[in-house]
Amino acid sequence: MISADFQMEDGFEQRVSEFFASIPDETIHGKTFGNGRFVRNLYERVWGKALARSGGDGVIVLTVADFDEASQEFQFEKKRRGIGFEY
């Protein structure tokens, strides 16, 4: 979706890959996680950050900073597993 409408700075695709790889399996396989909806929401937030930064002038280039700012709204915690005690 992104490459059809926007340009990306170097490192953008790598950062996106790292982000998705960091999402815990428990989250991805959870009953409340809608991956298509999630990706679309993240895409729209990144696009919005880039548009606000550019002021709507000319070609919009998505930056790693745009992605990092938008993705901070989606933080996932890994579940800690214990055996009957806190650690």
Side-chain angles (χ1 to χ4, degrees):
M1 289 176 10
I2 290 175
S3 63
D5 298 316
F6 305 103
Q7 293 181 6
M8 297 168 277
E9 79 174 356
D10 290 340
F12 183 85
E13 291 179 88
Q14 177 65 33
R15 181 65 189 104
V16 172
S17 293
E18 291 167 357
F19 175 79
F20 281 101
S22 74
I23 299 173
D25 287 343
E26 299 90 30
T27 300
I28 292 174
H29 299 297
K31 292 181 180 183
T32 61
F33 185 77
N35 60 356
R37 180 181 64 243
F38 172 77
V39 170
R40 182 65 179 201
N41 288 339
L42 181 56
Y43 165 76
E44 289 175 353
R45 286 189 174 116
V46 173
W47 172 56
K49 305 264 185 226
L51 184 61
R53 179 182 40 76
S54 72
D57 297 333
V59 176
I60 297 174
V61 178
L62 303 180
T63 67
V64 172
D66 295 330
F67 183 82
D68 287 343
E69 188 177 334
S71 66
Q72 287 178 2
E73 299 171 23
F74 301 97
Q75 296 300 314
F76 306 104
E77 293 185 28
K78 293 185 179 181
K79 290 184 179 179
R80 292 171 35 174
R81 294 188 175 112
I83 306 175
F85 56 88
E86 283 290 315
Y87 60 97

